[in-house]
Amino acid sequence: MALDDRRQSLTESRLSTMVVPDVGCTGKARDDALARLRSMGLPQGRDEYWKFTKPDTLVQPDAPKAALFEDGEPPVFGEVDRLKVVFVDGVFAPELSDDLSLEGVQIDRLEDVCCTDDHWAEDLYGVLETRGQTPVARPLAALNTAYAGDGVTIRVTGKPSKPICLTYVHKADDSDVFLHHVIRVESGAEATILETGPAAARFNKCMEIDITDNGTLHHIRAQGRDHERRAVTHMFARLGADSVFKSFTLTANGVLTRNECVIELTGDNGIAHVAGACVGDGDFHHDDTVFITHDAVNCESRQVFKKVLRNGATGVFQGKILVQPGAQKTDGYQISQSLLLDGDSEFLAKPELEIYADDVACSHGSTSGAIDEEAMFYLRARGVPHAIATDLLTLAFLAEAVEEIENEDLRDDINTRLEAWLERRRG
Amino acid sequence: MLEIKGLNVDLEEEEKTILKGVDLSVEAGKVHAIMGPNGSGKSTLSYVLSGREGYEVTGGSATLDGEDLLEMEPEERAAAGLFLAFQYPVEIPGVGNMTFMRTALNAQRKARDEEELSAADFLKMVREKAKTLKIDNDMLKRPVNVGFSGGEKKRNEILQMAVLEPKMCILDETDSGLDVDAMKLVADGVNALRDQGRGFLVITHYQRLLDHIKPDVVHIMADGRIVKTGGPELALEVENNGYADILAEVA
């Protein structure tokens, strides 16, 4: 179908300022992505999937500036023994990164994916993104596949002794960054991937994750605290039989964040959990858009999203569970909740279930509420001042999402961080 | 220690007067009991003293060691030494019992310009106190009151009292929902805290709690007033004859 004039001119004006980079052996995938993008066009506010989140600033040619946030805090995951892979404004920084060799995992830069040596990622770059374009178009992911200048490919073949930590440093106040990572977890392998940092004034990140039979991947991310930063991120995950994918995201600050997560359970007995905790204050818009497809028997999926909002902050949740014909014994769970700390803040939720199998258990729920006054009085009657009680109840509200992090050290790191942020805000 | 004079209280939501001139004075080192029929205003008195919202004080005063309680926020009253053991302790999912107590204790100490207790010292102190109340580590680790039985919730209230060491303790129907063994355990916990510097106000329907926590003074409350005050024998009179005789006598 041809695009309407407005969408076409929007799309072409964006593309006219950009150059497709010549990185590794991804040329064909980039050409295909461009064609895909041109056929769907960039998103507009009237699109069904962009009704709650204005795409304008993610789509316009120049990135709106974002001041750097100097918090003077130790970096997230700083206390965790990890392999650091650092990007500064979207460019891999070897001098800040650790040696990329680690037993059980092969890490390369995207530019090392050369045709000559038959690199494994060659057949994966853009593939899961393409699969994720139906039934819902995700044009900003296609834009990423076409234009991403850097990124890493991670192939997990064993059980690496420590997490791989992708660290995104934001340096220039007008940086406009595309990163694209490709991850494959081989049969029986298991790894943890961490992500931290604001990355850029405007950040477009795409992660393709292929977990083969019996593979396990843990993913924990802390999005940077720069108030004015914007980010649109996509995760496309495909899970084989008996595989496990567990992802958690912490977001505090950021004028605009759209995190899309597309998961396909293609083999029996797969498990996919995706969770998010977000704390928004003031000029803050946070959107979790999740689409999980059950296409095999006896798989489990779980979505747990919690948002604490105040001073006019906005939270959005669009979450879908699609159970394909034959995907019997599906166990699907979805919960999205907001804690509104005042009357100015807003939570918009669109939970969806679409089920074509008859022997499944799927549940979903969405709530918006204020602080529990009974609990507040109980805390205050014990001497806990109102502001501290609010923070305690905030942490308690977020706990169900944070508890999705299996590793105790990483969970503690996230909790400690949250506590410190809330305490700082209290002053 | 606790001085209540002519306290008048309305419900905020509806035009209803609950307390109609309560006069009560609890001295340090003494245990006062308030008994009275349902709806007499006993629990309202405890809520108004601790600063719960929804009540309007239309007259009278309440002071703790000379400080005006009614002017203070609930947390300030707690820091000043007032403690209410709730009739229905609140469940707070997601907040660990230990975190809750340590936050409360340190907030109170900070408010009083005292040094905060370290995590290690706190842990040691709580474990000792929990032991005498037969509260195990699991209960300490769980979220506040979540999944606790009725008896466990009340024991947890007494543990908080022991940890916070208030000057003035109000027990609001702490015996409700307790079997005999649990009541004994709770009463032992309270008795262990009795000392020269501490006052108690025990609100109850029944004499049986007062068998275990022996009061110095017993008040009978009816229709928003203290209508009769006496010694422990007054509680026995209620137990034997009900409230009707006493109310008829003062009417």
Side-chain angles (χ1 to χ4, degrees), chain A residues 33 36 40 49-50 120 124-146 154 179-185 193 195 204-212 217 219 221 232-240 245 247 258-266 272 274 289-293:
Chain A
R36 246 189 334 274
M40 55 190 149
Y49 261 61
W50 291 91
W120 63 272
L124 211 50
Y125 187 88
V127 169
L128 297 184
E129 177 258 295
T130 307
R131 290 176 67 96
Q133 295 292 354
T134 42
V136 178
R138 304 170 198 280
L140 292 170
L143 181 75
N144 180 296
T145 300
I154 300 174
L179 283 178
H180 194 117
H181 309 306
V182 180
I183 295 156
R184 169 134 77 197
V185 182
I193 291 184
E195 291 185 280
N204 180 327
K205 193 207 64 183
C206 184
M207 202 178 225
E208 297 182 278
I209 301 165
D210 195 21
I211 307 178
T212 43
L217 185 70
H219 169 245
R221 148 169 82 164
V232 55
T233 76
H234 289 85
M235 273 196 292
F236 297 96
R238 176 171 64 185
L239 276 72
F245 176 52
S247 171
R258 162 96 159 198
N259 291 330
E260 296 202 23
C261 176
V262 183
I263 299 176
E264 280 181 280
L265 290 148
T266 64
V274 48
T289 292
V290 181
F291 198 116
I292 298 184
T293 304

Side-chain angles (χ1 to χ4, degrees), chain B residues 138-192:
Chain B
D138 182 52
M139 265 175 76
L140 291 176
K141 272 193 229 155
R142 287 206 310 241
V144 180
N145 293 324
V146 176
F148 287 25
S149 70
E152 285 173 334
K153 283 182 183 170
K154 296 298 172 82
R155 261 146 61 201
N156 200 34
E157 292 293 288
I158 305 306
L159 175 62
Q160 291 165 41
M161 192 154 85
V163 165
L164 297 171
E165 298 182 323
K167 284 194 281 202
M168 179 67 221
C169 309
I170 304 172
L171 281 68
D172 186 8
E173 301 200 17
T174 296
D175 50 339
S176 68
L178 293 187
D179 60 31
V180 178
D181 292 339
M183 181 150 56
K184 176 114 189 9
L185 207 56
V186 163
D188 287 349
V190 172
N191 288 329

Side-chain angles (χ1 to χ4, degrees), chain A residues 61-74:
Chain A
D62 296 318
K65 286 192 175 182
L68 305 186
F69 182 67
E70 301 289 350
D71 55 14
E73 291 167 5

Side-chain angles (χ1 to χ4, degrees), chain A residues 374 378-380 382 396, chain B residues 52 73 75 84 108 157 160:
Chain A
E374 288 289 319
Y378 191 62
L379 288 164
R380 294 180 72 191
R382 292 293 174 260
Chain B
R52 194 190 186 94
E73 296 293 334
E75 57 267 33
L84 170 66
Q108 289 198 17
E157 292 293 288
Q160 291 165 41

Side-chain angles (χ1 to χ4, degrees), chain B residues 46-159:
Chain B
S46 72
Y47 286 143
V48 169
L49 291 175
S50 56
R52 194 190 186 94
E53 285 179 9
Y55 303 96
E56 190 190 348
V57 177
T58 55
S61 67
T63 60
L64 182 66
D65 281 342
E67 284 186 273
D68 185 357
L69 282 176
L70 303 177
E71 282 299 303
M72 297 184 204
E73 296 293 334
E75 57 267 33
E76 293 169 335
R77 300 178 197 209
L82 186 76
F83 181 93
L84 170 66
F86 282 55
Q87 183 180 359
Y88 303 109
V90 180
E91 297 186 7
I92 314 183
V95 177
N97 211 9
M98 288 294 264
T99 307
F100 163 60
M101 284 190 282
R102 189 154 73 93
T103 307
L105 179 64
N106 280 336
Q108 289 198 17
R109 292 177 82 109
K110 199 174 166 194
R112 295 192 294 257
D113 287 324
E114 295 167 13
E115 208 173 311
E116 295 184 22
L117 218 58
S118 75
D121 289 346
F122 177 79
L123 192 67
K124 190 160 167 269
M125 184 262 278
V126 171
R127 284 212 171 125
E128 273 169 26
K129 299 193 173 190
K131 212 169 156 189
T132 60
L133 285 160
K134 300 205 171 132
I135 289 174
D136 58 19
N137 273 341
D138 182 52
M139 265 175 76
L140 291 176
K141 272 193 229 155
R142 287 206 310 241
V144 180
N145 293 324
V146 176
F148 287 25
S149 70
E152 285 173 334
K153 283 182 183 170
K154 296 298 172 82
R155 261 146 61 201
N156 200 34
E157 292 293 288
I158 305 306
L159 175 62

